[in-house]
């Protein structure tokens, strides 16, 4: 019963957003309010909010609550680089192992993230990137077929998704969400982790001039990866 209710909560929130009843940056009901409304435990309500936050549909602020995320593009403060180039710049060897390459029906959170209708076909890939034959990052990506029609035909042993998408739909803007997570069992297997080492997760949506190109989740062991950036500020006269 709790599983069905959990899906009902997610569907309710997504319906409110799609219909325009809840606008971007609007606060959504709290865990307690949702638990009372759907007659479930706070844990069930928290799971629904957490998964929508992981998908970039909501944002959460400690002490303030959950809010509808902005679905408009915004400038990125993080430089987006090709992971293969990063590894080779360290004079290390790079390799990649594709795990999944498929076309799927877009469930509501993915449809919203890509700006398509629920049920439309989108491309889905899971790849593991290696540095010196050690797993460095798991990349799960959903791609808009209209903007990258030959995505599934690429050989990602030799070409990264970033390289291919930069060729067919040059990046103009991006939106990031960065957080520390505890990896699940499948993620630990892919990353060859033997304990619950914290991982760095980046949720990223990218735009080209024609629209939203992809929605990706990048997960790396906290001990092996870090993010950096460079900001230039214009001095006011």
């Amino acid at each position: 019963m709790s599983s069905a209710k959990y899906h009902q909560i997610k569907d309710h929130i997504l319906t409110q957003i799609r219909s325009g009843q809840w606008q971007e940056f609007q606060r959504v009901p709290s865990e307690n309010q949702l638990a009372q409304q759907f007659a479930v435990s706070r844990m069930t309500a928290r799971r629904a909010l957490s998964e929508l936050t992981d998908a970039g549909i909501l944002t959460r602020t400690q002490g303030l609550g959950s809010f509808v995320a902005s679905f408009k593009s915004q400038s990125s403060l993080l430089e987006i680089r090709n992971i293969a180039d990063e590894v080779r710049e360290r004079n290390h060897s790079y390799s990649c192992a594709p795990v999944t390459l498929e076309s799927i029906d877009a469930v509501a959170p993915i449809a919203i993230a890509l700006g398509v209708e629920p049920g439309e076909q989108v491309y889905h890939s899971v790849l593991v990137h290696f540095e010196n034959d050690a797993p460095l990052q798991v990349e799960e990506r959903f791609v808009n077929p209209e903007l990258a029609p030959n995505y599934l035909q690429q050989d990602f042993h030799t070409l990264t998704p970033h390289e291919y998408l930069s060729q067919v739909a040059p990046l103009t803007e991006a939106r990031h969400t960065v957080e520390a997570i505890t990896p699940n069992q499948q993620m630990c297997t892919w990353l060859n982790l033997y304990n619950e080492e914290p991982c760095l997760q980046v949720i990223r949506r990218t735009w080209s001039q024609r629209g939203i190109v992809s929605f990706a989740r990048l997960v790396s062991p906290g001990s092996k990866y870090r993010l950096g950036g460079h900001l230039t500020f214009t001095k006011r006269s």
Side-chain angles (χ1 to χ4, degrees):
M1 177 64 69
S2 62
S3 176
K5 290 289 187 180
Y6 143 73
H7 288 294
Q8 287 180 26
I9 295 173
K10 291 180 67 175
D11 290 342
H12 169 72
I13 294 173
L14 291 168
T15 297
Q16 295 297 100
I17 295 173
R18 286 200 302 268
S19 67
Q21 292 297 313
W22 293 355
Q23 300 294 317
E24 60 181 2
F25 309 123
Q26 181 174 334
R27 185 176 179 178
V28 306
S30 66
E31 292 175 5
N32 285 335
Q33 290 171 323
L34 290 170
Q36 183 176 8
Q37 180 179 350
F38 289 89
V40 296
S41 66
R42 283 189 60 188
M43 183 177 297
T44 299
R46 182 181 301 123
R47 180 182 176 188
L49 292 174
S50 295
E51 292 204 0
L52 290 176
T53 300
D54 290 343
I57 307 303
L58 301 178
T59 60
R60 305 190 76 176
T61 302
Q62 185 69 33
L64 295 178
S66 300
F67 300 82
V68 179
S70 171
F71 296 115
K72 298 179 181 178
S73 61
Q74 65 183 42
S75 297
S76 171
L77 296 180
L78 296 175
E79 182 181 9
I80 297 179
R81 302 192 61 205
N82 181 29
I83 189 170
D85 293 337
E86 293 183 24
V87 171
R88 290 165 182 150
E89 285 178 4
R90 293 192 284 269
N91 293 319
H92 291 172
S93 64
Y94 167 80
S95 59
C96 178
V99 176
T100 300
L101 289 171
E102 62 184 355
S103 180
I104 63 171
D105 295 334
V107 295
I110 301 304
I112 291 177
L114 287 177
V116 301
E117 292 296 321
E120 282 191 29
Q121 289 287 294
V122 298
Y123 296 151
H124 174 230
S125 62
V126 177
L127 300 90
V128 182
H129 300 282
F130 292 83
E131 180 171 6
N132 289 344
D133 297 324
L136 176 64
Q137 183 182 88
V138 173
E139 172 186 327
E140 181 177 26
R141 189 181 294 268
F142 299 88
V143 176
N144 186 340
E146 183 178 346
L147 302 182
N150 298 317
Y151 182 78
L152 296 182
Q153 282 69 57
Q154 304 309 305
D155 181 3
F156 290 122
H157 291 92
T158 58
L159 179 75
T160 67
H162 174 82
E163 288 173 313
Y164 171 70
L165 295 175
S166 295
Q167 293 171 9
V168 300
L171 176 69
T172 57
E173 296 182 75
R175 180 177 185 268
H176 299 278
T177 301
V178 183
E179 64 179 341
I181 66 166
T182 299
N184 60 25
Q185 184 175 358
Q186 179 63 78
M187 193 64 67
C188 287
T189 299
W190 284 333
L191 290 173
N192 198 24
L193 301 177
Y194 297 100
N195 53 44
E196 294 186 349
E197 175 185 341
C199 288
L200 182 68
Q201 174 176 275
V202 178
I203 302 294
R204 174 182 295 160
R205 285 197 298 162
T206 57
W207 281 255
S208 72
Q209 291 183 341
R210 295 173 55 200
I212 303 172
V213 179
S214 73
F215 171 67
R217 181 167 74 113
L218 313 174
V219 179
S220 306
S223 62
K224 294 184 180 180
Y225 206 74
R226 65 181 181 180
L227 290 173
H230 176 79
L231 298 178
T232 300
F233 296 90
T234 302
K235 183 177 180 180
R236 295 183 178 180
S237 57

